[in-house]
Amino acid sequence: MEYRVNRQTGDRISVIGLGTSYIAESDEKTAIEALIYAYEHGINYADLATAGAKTFSYYGTAFRSVREKMYYQVHFGANYESGEYGWTTDLETVKRQIDWQMKALKTDYINYGFIHCLDGENDWKEYQENGVLQFLLDMQKSGAVKHIGFSTHTPSLAHRVLDTGLVDQLMFSINPGYDYQHGEYAKGSAGERMDLYRHCETAGVGISVMKPFSAGQLLDAKTSPFGRAISQYQCIQYALDKPGVLTVLPGIRNVEDVKLLLGFFDAAEEERDYSVLGSCTPVEMAGTCVYCNHCQPCPAGLNVGLINKYYDLAKAGDVMAAEHYQNLELRADACIRCGHCESRCPFHVKQMARMEEIDAFFNREK
């Protein structure tokens, strides 16, 4: 397992976590076996916006003895009074649901209390005016909630919430379909979505990724907007390469699903390579480095993707990114302009000119 640290909280989070959209479909024995197997193989983060109420008791049973080693994100607004997923912004219902969920999870605290499903301006306004946000803040003050996050599909609204400084984690849909303007939740342009990822990285706010496979549509050539299947491992790598991303949360049903996800770490580089998407790049993103490192290895030894990433983040105001760049063994000024990276880049980035631009930028910063 690999781990990434949320800079706001210090939490060391597994890069593959657990989504819960499907596990309620499994019987108790199957579900608990899968959860225990996931934990034993290093998975330590889980989202609890599940499809069915049974999920909470499954988690409570599976992780009761190791609760302090698991990170839960629990959604203030997800409603399971009917036994199935629902959504509410009613304060008293939210209070009852959080109390019930914590009891079912056999826990007295929540790692990340999430403002649930902020997709429109009215949602954010309502959560503030109806007392749900204050309830969440009060729980944080008492220690029952350690950190605050929110889920959304709307980049413009996400920026506004991030600017409040209240949140430490964002749950957002990241997959090639949505980023390239295909699918129900493909909100915001490709550039706007990338700006959001950089905003999170700059602010130290972690991103937990929902819908990494676009509800499975990307995995089947018949439903993929690209006319060909994109594998789970390609989708996972795609999301992990985005700034700010800490963990990807695919849904599971059983041990076999967990084993398939864990196979990502043993997969060959070509199995993770999503460069085929270069032929589908939106016009506004053509020539934009997405840090995929398909250009590697650089004959001069540069980490081209990392140099580009630090540059983009430094331009966005990330002081740490500028420091990281200066600490690189080889920086943009070491480019020998051989054109190797440009010949391999599926996204048509003119890296030789860009390296000159990057070097000039950081020289100005000194």
Side-chain angles (χ1 to χ4, degrees):
M1 181 55 64
E2 298 171 9
Y3 299 87
R4 294 180 177 180
V5 176
N6 181 308
R7 300 206 319 263
Q8 293 277 11
T9 69
D11 292 335
R12 185 170 174 266
I13 293 171
S14 57
V15 298
I16 292 180
L18 297 172
T20 50
S21 51
Y22 306 120
I23 198 165
E25 300 172 6
S26 301
D27 62 78
E28 184 177 26
K29 180 175 182 295
T30 299
I32 290 173
E33 284 179 350
L35 295 176
I36 292 173
Y37 186 88
Y39 169 77
E40 289 175 342
H41 288 79
I43 292 176
N44 70 355
Y45 195 92
D47 175 65
L48 273 300
T50 178
K54 292 187 295 184
T55 299
F56 295 92
S57 63
Y58 293 168
Y59 270 75
T61 300
F63 297 135
R64 185 175 188 176
S65 64
V66 294
R67 171 66 187 95
E68 72 283 0
K69 297 180 180 179
M70 286 294 300
Y71 297 104
Y72 293 158
Q73 58 179 44
V74 173
H75 293 248
F76 286 54
N79 181 12
Y80 298 93
E81 289 181 325
S82 70
E84 304 297 328
Y85 168 77
W87 181 26
T88 182
T89 57
D90 176 72
L91 177 59
E92 294 307 314
T93 305
V94 170
K95 288 181 176 181
R96 288 196 306 272
Q97 277 296 292
I98 293 300
D99 181 65
W100 172 81
Q101 289 176 38
M102 292 178 70
K103 287 177 180 176
L105 290 169
K106 298 180 174 63
T107 186
D108 59 1
Y109 69 96
I110 294 167
N111 301 92
Y112 291 87
F114 267 59
I115 307 166
H116 184 58
C117 203
L118 291 179
D119 278 351
E121 294 291 337
N122 287 338
D123 298 333
W124 179 225
K125 182 178 179 181
E126 188 168 0
Y127 274 115
Q128 293 176 83
E129 293 181 349
N130 66 6
V132 173
L133 176 60
Q134 188 59 53
F135 171 55
L136 177 53
L137 292 170
D138 290 343
M139 286 194 69
Q140 183 184 39
K141 187 175 181 179
S142 73
V145 167
K146 303 301 182 184
H147 310 291
I148 293 177
F150 70 107
S151 63
T152 184
H153 297 98
T154 310
S156 58
L157 181 57
H159 285 294
R160 285 191 55 201
V161 179
L162 289 169
D163 285 341
T164 67
L166 292 173
V167 300
D168 300 310
Q169 190 91 330
L170 163 68
M171 190 180 195
F172 193 75
S173 298
I174 301 179
N175 63 61
Y178 295 169
D179 278 357
Y180 288 11
Q181 307 299 281
H182 299 288
E184 180 182 359
Y185 297 109
K187 297 185 179 181
S189 68
E192 288 170 334
R193 293 171 70 86
M194 182 64 86
D195 284 345
L196 174 59
Y197 312 150
R198 291 174 182 147
H199 187 169
C200 287
E201 178 77 26
T202 299
V205 172
I207 301 175
S208 50
V209 176
M210 59 179 162
K211 300 181 177 69
F213 312 139
S214 188
Q217 291 181 340
L218 293 172
L219 308 180
D220 188 334
K222 295 179 181 178
T223 56
S224 170
F226 303 109
R228 59 174 295 165
I230 309 297
S231 74
Q232 288 191 2
Y233 298 163
Q234 288 171 308
C235 290
I236 291 171
Q237 188 65 61
Y238 177 88
L240 289 175
D241 282 345
K242 299 296 168 283
V245 170
L246 297 183
T247 185
V248 181
L249 304 170
I252 62 160
R253 294 183 178 87
N254 50 44
V255 168
E256 291 307 311
D257 285 349
V258 180
K259 288 181 177 179
L260 179 60
L261 293 176
L262 293 173
F264 171 79
F265 299 106
D266 296 319
E269 187 175 329
E270 50 268 27
E271 293 181 78
R272 303 185 186 189
D273 179 17
Y274 53 85
S275 60
V276 63
L277 297 173
S279 61
C280 312
T281 304
V283 173
E284 66 171 295
M285 289 294 286
T288 300
C289 181
V290 298
Y291 327 122
C292 70
N293 277 324
H294 189 71
C295 57
Q296 296 294 94
C298 168
L302 279 68
N303 187 327
V304 177
L306 201 55
I307 288 172
N308 275 270
K309 183 175 182 178
Y310 289 157
Y311 172 53
D312 289 334
L313 293 172
K315 283 200 304 180
D318 189 335
V319 176
M320 290 185 64
E323 293 177 357
H324 290 325
Y325 174 82
Q326 297 298 345
N327 289 331
L328 288 173
E329 183 177 350
L330 294 172
R331 296 181 286 276
D333 60 354
C335 174
I336 61 175
R337 292 164 179 75
C338 65
H340 172 81
C341 52
E342 292 189 8
S343 68
R344 289 178 54 83
C345 180
F347 300 94
H348 315 296
V349 179
K350 301 300 182 185
Q351 286 288 5
M352 289 187 288
R354 189 164 165 85
M355 287 297 157
E356 292 183 5
E357 177 184 323
I358 293 172
D359 182 44
F361 174 85
F362 284 110
N363 280 329
R364 287 198 303 268
E365 294 292 299
K366 290 181 178 179

